[in-house]
Amino acid sequence: MSGKGNISSGHLFATMILFEFGTALVVPIGLTAEQGSWLAILMALPGGILLFLVFDYLFRQYPKLILSGYIRAIVGRYLGWPISLLYVAFFIYIAARNLREAGDLLVTTAYDQTPILLIHAVMITAVIYTLYKGLEVFCRLGQIYLLIIIGLGFLGNVFILFSGAVDLRNLLPLLGKGWKSVLLTAYPNIFLFPFAELVCFCTILPHLNTIESARKTGVAAMIIAGFLLSMTHAIELMVLGGNVYARSTFPLFTTISLVNIAHFLQRLDAIVILTLIIGVFFKMSIYCYAAMAVAADLFHIEDLRKMAYPIGIIVLFISIFSALSYPEHVEEGMASIKFILPVFAFLIPMSLFIIHLIRKRFSH
């Protein structure tokens, strides 16, 4: 992407919602809260909004700089450059994890005879092609696919409700193991995944047409995405129950597979597969773009679209070799939420925010 393209608040709104959906719609989240996992999502939402307001504040202070730019401006070049380089590795790693999750679902559900490398290669090729076309093109595509994914979600929910598989009693007891388990699930787990991951939008916000629209648009997108995620996981719990939900690798797929209306409407797995492909495509693309933007900034590459090919190829190979199996991939994901995401999505941005406030206070 050239870096000169401007995006509107509508573009930002659509891409943020699709990013938040990502894999969070399909994989189980908030397992320790059991029946209260849907409530944990709502509890984590205010913390996610507050963190996004920190991102927005830093963006307003340095409206022409992306994340790596104001890291160097705040902590200095010698410390800021290596921190920014670590962000490139972080963005690439999370993009590779998203690609792996999509590939594993497709292999598990529909393409069990297809080499996973081929599935990953096809998906990353689409990402590289879209990123090379530019940020505006990518965000306009987001507006189209947001309508598609909402339509798929509406159809899926209607089919589930009419199938008679929903049982409200599966949500009881409402708090599962109590308020403490719900709160500990919301913070830090759901707060970090998917809400704190919006740190990669710190490379996109400088391309907004109007600086003032970032805060209102971002908060609105987070609220809508949070409520839709909560509703989706609540429906999964009502259909599967807490035990099956926790044991399912992809609970949304398990839920939709139970739909059977008059022995006519069955096998609606394509809805889940399309939802995952769309969500992962946009989330992975945004992570790849963030890596491209930071790398181009650090190495003074004027046309960051040139970074699409090397970043995409690196993501492809990391997605294959990062884990030997899906269970191993899940274990790495738990470690990532515990050790990696807190540092890059929360601790570093909050440290930048505090250092900036201190410098601003003593500069007057």
Side-chain angles (χ1 to χ4, degrees):
M1 299 173 197
S2 63
K4 297 180 181 179
N6 293 322
I7 61 174
S8 67
S9 57
H11 294 148
L12 179 67
F13 179 79
T15 51
M16 281 188 68
I17 291 180
L18 290 170
F19 178 87
E20 289 292 82
F21 285 170
T23 55
L25 273 177
V26 180
V27 301
I29 57 177
L31 296 181
T32 55
E34 295 184 351
Q35 290 90 339
S37 61
W38 66 276
L39 188 58
I41 296 173
L42 296 179
M43 292 181 66
L45 180 58
I49 291 173
L50 289 176
L51 183 60
F52 177 76
L53 293 178
V54 171
F55 299 154
D56 176 73
Y57 175 82
L58 292 172
F59 160 60
R60 288 170 181 262
Q61 300 304 305
Y62 305 93
K64 295 183 179 180
L65 299 179
I66 64 170
L67 175 65
S68 55
Y70 59 71
I71 286 178
R72 299 198 302 276
I74 292 173
V75 301
R77 177 182 177 183
Y78 295 105
L79 182 59
W81 202 94
I83 292 176
S84 300
L85 187 62
L86 288 175
Y87 265 103
V88 176
F90 166 70
F91 292 142
I92 289 175
Y93 174 69
I94 303 298
R97 286 193 55 80
N98 286 312
L99 181 58
R100 180 60 182 264
E101 287 170 358
D104 279 319
L105 174 63
L106 291 174
V107 168
T108 302
T109 58
Y111 301 99
D112 56 311
Q113 300 299 317
T114 305
I116 194 171
L117 176 60
L118 180 60
I119 294 174
H120 287 193
V122 171
M123 293 190 68
I124 200 66
T125 299
V127 170
I128 292 172
Y129 176 79
T130 308
L131 292 178
Y132 194 81
K133 286 296 181 180
L135 184 59
E136 288 183 76
V137 173
F138 173 74
C139 291
R140 287 174 184 172
L141 192 65
Q143 289 183 306
I144 297 171
Y145 275 95
L146 178 61
L147 297 177
I148 294 174
I149 205 169
I150 289 175
L152 291 173
F154 176 77
L155 287 176
N157 288 331
V158 168
F159 291 145
I160 290 170
L161 291 173
F162 278 98
S163 69
V166 173
D167 187 352
L168 291 172
R169 291 174 295 182
N170 285 332
L171 289 179
L172 300 176
L174 188 62
L175 296 176
K177 297 180 181 178
W179 277 106
K180 185 177 180 180
S181 68
V182 175
L183 187 61
L184 291 177
T185 300
Y187 299 94
N189 291 353
I190 299 177
F191 166 71
L192 292 170
F193 169 76
F195 297 121
E197 290 184 293
L198 287 171
V199 65
C200 58
F201 274 81
C202 294
T203 62
I204 294 178
L205 294 178
H207 298 288
L208 270 175
N209 285 333
T210 53
I211 297 175
E212 296 76 15
S213 65
R215 180 182 302 169
K216 181 172 65 175
T217 303
V219 170
M222 291 185 70
I223 291 173
I224 291 174
F227 274 95
L228 290 177
L229 280 173
S230 177
M231 182 185 72
T232 300
H233 287 276
I235 291 174
E236 292 171 11
L237 283 163
M238 285 188 283
V239 172
L240 302 176
N243 290 331
V244 177
Y245 174 86
R247 294 198 305 268
S248 297
T249 305
F250 302 105
L252 183 59
F253 180 82
T254 307
T255 301
I256 205 73
S257 66
L258 297 176
V259 171
N260 183 356
I261 302 176
H263 299 286
F264 177 70
L265 278 176
Q266 298 174 324
R267 302 294 298 172
L268 301 175
D269 311 345
I271 291 178
V272 177
I273 294 174
L274 283 173
T275 299
L276 177 76
I277 290 174
I278 293 171
V280 168
F281 171 78
F282 280 93
K283 188 166 187 175
M284 179 172 52
S285 296
I286 292 170
Y287 267 115
C288 288
Y289 172 76
M292 290 163 53
V294 174
D297 179 47
L298 292 178
F299 296 104
H300 306 289
I301 300 172
E302 291 187 9
D303 188 356
L304 61 84
R305 294 181 301 174
K306 295 178 181 179
M307 300 299 298
Y309 293 101
I311 295 294
I313 293 171
I314 293 171
V315 167
L316 172 62
F317 283 100
I318 290 178
S319 70
I320 297 297
F321 298 111
S322 61
L324 297 176
S325 63
Y326 189 74
E328 184 179 337
H329 171 80
V330 172
E331 288 183 11
E332 288 184 6
M334 295 173 66
S336 172
I337 291 177
K338 189 174 181 180
F339 299 109
I340 299 176
L341 271 175
V343 173
F344 291 97
F346 179 73
L347 291 178
I348 293 178
M350 287 303 299
S351 299
L352 294 173
F353 175 66
I354 293 170
I355 293 171
H356 174 78
L357 289 180
I358 293 173
R359 290 181 58 183
K360 188 176 181 180
R361 174 71 176 86
F362 287 98
S363 64
H364 293 293

